[in-house]
Amino acid sequence: MDRAKILVTGGAGYIGSHAVVELYEAGFQPVLVDNFANSQERALDGVERILGVKVPFHRIDCNDVEAMRAVFAEEGSLRGVIHFAAYKAVGESMQKPLEYYQNNVGSLLTLLQVMREFGVEALVFSSSCTVYGIPDALPVTEQTPTKKANSPYGATKQMCEDILRDVVGLGSDFRTILLRYFNPIGAHESALIGELPLGVPQNLVPFVTQTAAGIREQLTIFGDTYDTPDGTNIRDYVHVVDLAKAHVVAVQRLLDKIGDKVETFNVGTGRGNSVLEVVQAFERATGQKLNYKIGPARAGDVPAIYADVTKSVETLGFKTSTSLEESLASSWKWQLALKK
Ligand code: NAD
Ligand code: WQD
């Protein structure tokens, strides 16, 4: 089979590794770039065990323009790029704003420069629901106005979106799809790849699974006095494999040159669940009793956000097929596999 080569930056990361599997299974040839800033070789082993083939991998920093040129030259005939590589911890971005702007904005600029040099004209970009800030109305559509970012991380995603719109505005054949992810959770059904948080997890689901596994003593729910039905925050938790599949559709759409030259899509389930609902769903799905307490609110948390996915469903044919319980069960299976 003649597989179209797609460069996947951050391909060893949580979402990237799942996208690599889905790309290959859909008939593409993913070519991976990662510097292991927030991932490990284990993810590549997992991908290769799932697929039963070796995947081309380049251990380089996407900010290194010479190294990126060398990858484009060596691989030849790249048809498109999915740019996952970025730093993603909101709290850390407050402490290290320069590193975040450099890595997230800088790597996109370098990538765009090299894509132009090599005539590669299709890019899927990892954006985030963080661009909506605290929305005035729910659910959020792609037309919902973005708000001033409340972290350097969020600002980098807004800046990258603006940069891409400007590049498209130049009127070349360059096309891009901006995927605004909501909260990805879960792991591949094989439990060979999944989220590998380094240190104490900042995100809810890895903290939940580590608590159930006895690695953390207790989950603290960050506040229960929000203006939501049970007082805890509401999010849209999307299974990572569903999310990964959206990238396959997006890449194909770019290669087929369908639609506007810049398009934005929400990638969520369209369902909002509270933190307490996540805890209860986890207990139901796994039979584990979770040790948790209610603590103070976390600074900067959005009280409630979930996606209107009408545009993704109608335009991309995107459909999430995984329930919250199934997603959490897959996170738990991955947590158990990590011990082995
Ligand atoms: P991740 O940290 O697991 O993956 C990112 C990967 O990029 C890592 O493997 C890291 O080593 C690599 N990387 C970072 N900087 C690099 C560089 N300069 N050169 C080469 N490799 C580099 O994160 P993820 O959860 O898979 O997120 C992927 C993308 O999706 C990111 O852009 C993130 O901002 C975005 N996103 C994530 C979430 C989420 O909750 N996980 C939500 C919305 C958007
Ligand atoms: C989810 C809910 C917490 C941990 C972040 C980024 C966002 C996007 C997705 C990248 C919140 C609560 C959490 C804990 C808790 N990432 N919680 N106890 O904050 O929705 O979004 O990841 O683009 O930009 O901000 O995700 O998993 O941290 O939190 O009660 O120990 O769980 O308050 O309501 P969040 P999260």
Side-chain angles (χ1 to χ4, degrees):
M1 180 172 23
D2 196 14
R3 292 174 173 269
K5 275 191 190 176
I6 306 296
L7 187 75
V8 183
T9 75
Y14 173 42
I15 307 169
S17 57
H18 289 82
V20 164
V21 168
E22 297 307 314
L23 280 168
Y24 188 85
E25 288 183 342
F28 292 95
Q29 177 57 64
V31 173
L32 281 62
V33 162
D34 205 299
N35 64 356
F36 293 135
N38 192 37
S39 53
Q40 297 166 23
E41 230 153 319
R42 179 189 175 125
L44 300 180
D45 296 342
V47 165
E48 293 182 345
R49 282 176 66 190
I50 292 168
L51 296 176
V53 293
K54 283 254 163 231
V55 288
F57 173 72
H58 303 267
R59 182 170 186 170
I60 62 160
D61 186 328
C62 295
N63 289 287
D64 181 341
V65 69
E66 287 306 334
M68 286 292 276
R69 282 189 184 119
V71 170
F72 275 66
E74 185 187 327
E75 292 294 341
S77 67
L78 288 171
R79 298 285 305 282
V81 181
I82 307 178
H83 187 46
F84 290 106
Y87 295 151
K88 64 162 178 178
V90 173
E92 185 186 60
S93 78
M94 316 267 196
Q95 308 306 318
K96 298 181 174 175
L98 283 182
E99 284 84 349
Y100 270 68
Y101 287 112
Q102 174 59 55
N103 198 43
N104 295 8
V105 182
S107 69
L108 177 68
L109 294 174
T110 301
L111 173 66
L112 289 171
Q113 181 187 338
V114 179
M115 286 177 72
R116 184 171 60 181
E117 287 169 13
F118 285 81
V120 181
E121 290 168 337
L123 176 68
V124 179
F125 177 72
S126 298
S127 190
S128 167
C129 64
T130 194
V131 300
Y132 296 116
I134 299 180
D136 294 330
L138 291 171
V140 290
T141 75
E142 292 80 356
Q143 271 70 53
T144 297
T146 58
K147 295 264 184 73
K148 183 175 160 31
N150 63 358
S151 72
Y153 168 75
T156 69
K157 291 295 168 188
Q158 294 182 339
M159 286 177 190
C160 288
E161 286 201 359
D162 287 343
I163 289 166
L164 288 167
R165 287 190 203 95
D166 286 347
V167 170
V168 167
L170 293 174
S172 67
D173 286 332
F174 179 79
R175 288 179 169 266
T176 185
I177 289 182
L178 318 177
L179 296 180
R180 291 178 175 162
Y181 315 154
F182 283 67
N183 290 51
I185 61 166
H188 192 265
E189 59 176 1
S190 64
L192 289 168
I193 52 172
E195 195 169 2
L196 278 172
L198 303 174
V200 181
Q202 305 301 306
N203 293 113
L204 176 63
V205 172
F207 207 104
V208 164
T209 59
Q210 289 196 8
T211 304
I215 301 167
R216 311 280 154 210
E217 203 184 318
Q218 192 176 42
L219 168 77
T220 301
I221 293 182
F222 297 142
D224 70 347
T225 55
Y226 286 96
D227 185 15
T228 59
D230 66 21
T232 65
N233 286 169
I234 288 175
R235 295 288 183 273
D236 185 332
Y237 295 95
V238 56
H239 193 264
V240 68
V241 174
D242 289 331
L243 172 58
K245 287 182 173 152
H247 294 78
V248 177
V249 183
V251 162
Q252 191 61 59
R253 185 172 172 84
L254 292 170
L255 298 187
D256 291 342
K257 301 188 192 309
I258 299 173
D260 292 341
K261 287 192 175 173
V262 54
E263 293 184 308
T264 307
F265 295 100
N266 285 341
V267 192
T269 63
R271 181 181 67 210
N273 287 108
S274 73
V275 181
L276 271 173
E277 283 172 343
V278 170
V279 168
Q280 288 154 4
F282 178 81
E283 292 186 337
R284 271 197 310 276
T286 64
Q288 298 294 311
K289 194 95 197 83
L290 200 72
N291 182 19
Y292 72 88
K293 64 170 185 200
I294 307 291
R298 180 171 69 176
D301 264 339
V302 173
I305 186 164
Y306 56 96
D308 182 320
V309 287
T310 310
K311 185 180 174 198
S312 306
V313 171
E314 289 179 357
T315 315
L316 294 181
F318 174 71
K319 223 171 153 270
T320 52
S321 49
T322 320
S323 69
L324 181 61
E325 278 82 356
E326 288 167 336
S327 296
L328 291 165
S330 75
S331 298
W332 180 234
K333 190 176 168 191
W334 166 244
Q335 181 68 55
L336 295 176
L338 273 176
K339 274 199 197 158
K340 291 176 193 153

